[in-house]
Amino acid sequence: MVLSGSALNASEAVTNGLAFGAAAVGESLDEALVLAGQIAVHQIPALVANERFIGHDWEVAIAQAWSSERAAMLEMADQIGPIGWKVDS
């Protein structure tokens, strides 16, 4: 998807883990309000803790992705030569 620029429909987004669920046509707002109500019943400290966990998970995932990308680019550069960016080892 990222490299091809292809769009995903709701079902594909859920299948690929990019969305938690899909609503029927015209039901998105109602579904979002139901979910918001379910979230709002929790105590503020619990919501803040969950937000920290979610943020940490994304931070870790992004760092891992950058590390993997850098390793792949270094391997490619070793195979085909310089590829347009400077490597500070």
Side-chain angles (χ1 to χ4, degrees), residues 1 6-23:
M1 178 189 89
S6 300
L8 297 178
N9 64 34
S11 177
E12 292 169 326
V14 171
T15 299
N16 288 291
L18 300 173
F20 295 116

Side-chain angles (χ1 to χ4, degrees), residues 20-61:
F20 295 116
V25 174
E27 299 294 320
S28 297
L29 179 58
D30 292 337
E31 296 267 346
L33 291 173
V34 168
L35 181 58
Q38 293 170 351
I39 293 169
V41 300
H42 298 289
Q43 297 290 324
I44 294 297
L47 295 174
V48 170
N50 285 335
E51 182 180 3
R52 285 190 186 132
F53 285 128
I54 291 168
H56 174 72
D57 288 346
W58 279 110
E59 181 180 315
V60 170

Side-chain angles (χ1 to χ4, degrees), residues 69-85:
E69 181 179 358
R70 185 174 193 285
M73 295 299 280
L74 287 170
E75 183 178 335
M76 189 182 339
D78 285 343
Q79 293 174 10
I80 65 172
I83 51 178
W85 50 275

